[in-house]
Amino acid sequence: MRIADARIVELPKFLDARGNLSFVEQKNHIPFQIRRTYWLYDVPGGECRGGHAYIENQEFIVALSGSFDVVLDDGVEKRTFTLNRSYYGLYVPKGLWREMNNFSTNSLAMVLSSTDYDANDYIRDYDVFLKLKKDGKI
Ligand code: TYD
């Protein structure tokens, strides 16, 4: 997978004086079956999460509150996606190196995932990632 396979998806929003509402639907917005949901919160300023790639897992990331950057890297190109509205989601295909940083105070990152948690699905060494990418293994 390449950076070009990642994309921002605009989710529906109902603006209302009583408070806004957005939603995400499997069949309309998510290009995989959702298997798991996790979230990142209370991230201290300056911290970086998720410096790794997945062999199989795909993700859909939403900044439910606050803002943060998702940096994607396919071994050739690197791109930063800033998520700062709760009605945008970022689709992250498998096989990309991804980091999350620049978290604002009280930000909340929701991550929809295509697989169960599996430590063996992670590539945590950037040089190993580059080699697998170069060899077309991921
Ligand atoms: P991890 O994905 O390694 O976070 P990061 O890459 O940002 O450091 O997750 C941190 C820990 O949380 C890891 O030791 C395992 C656990 N974890 C689960 O048990 N289930 C999950 O769905 C996730 C995402 C993590």
Side-chain angles (χ1 to χ4, degrees), residues 19-135:
N20 303 332
L21 183 150
S22 284
F23 57 89
V24 58
E25 287 176 328
Q26 166 87 66
K27 69 175 167 47
N28 288 327
H29 310 118
I30 311 293
F32 55 81
Q33 282 296 119
I34 300 166
R35 180 85 193 177
R36 171 170 57 114
T37 303
Y38 66 93
W39 48 97
L40 297 167
Y41 55 98
D42 293 346
V43 179
E47 280 298 339
C48 176
R49 300 278 332 202
H52 54 66
Y54 297 112
I55 299 165
E56 280 303 326
N57 189 39
Q58 306 168 62
E59 294 188 326
F60 188 88
I61 305 175
V62 181
L64 285 184
S65 179
S67 64
F68 51 83
D69 291 341
V70 183
V71 185
L72 299 182
D73 177 346
D74 61 13
V76 176
E77 194 189 346
K78 208 176 203 185
R79 193 177 300 172
T80 298
F81 296 84
T82 297
L83 295 178
N84 55 13
R85 292 281 182 260
S86 60
Y87 49 84
Y88 285 117
L90 173 64
Y91 168 61
V92 182
K94 63 183 178 181
L96 296 183
W97 190 265
R98 79 131 171 82
E99 286 176 13
M100 297 168 71
N101 57 35
N102 211 13
F103 287 87
S104 69
T105 305
N106 287 333
S107 57
L108 172 59
M110 177 182 74
V111 186
L112 309 179
S113 290
S114 69
T115 66
D116 288 334
Y117 174 75
D118 176 5
N120 294 320
D121 192 46
Y122 284 65
I123 303 163
R124 293 193 178 275
D125 183 319
Y126 187 68
D127 291 334
V128 170
F129 166 74
L130 285 181
K131 173 103 175 67
L132 288 169
K133 215 65 190 157
K134 199 161 151 254
D135 296 346

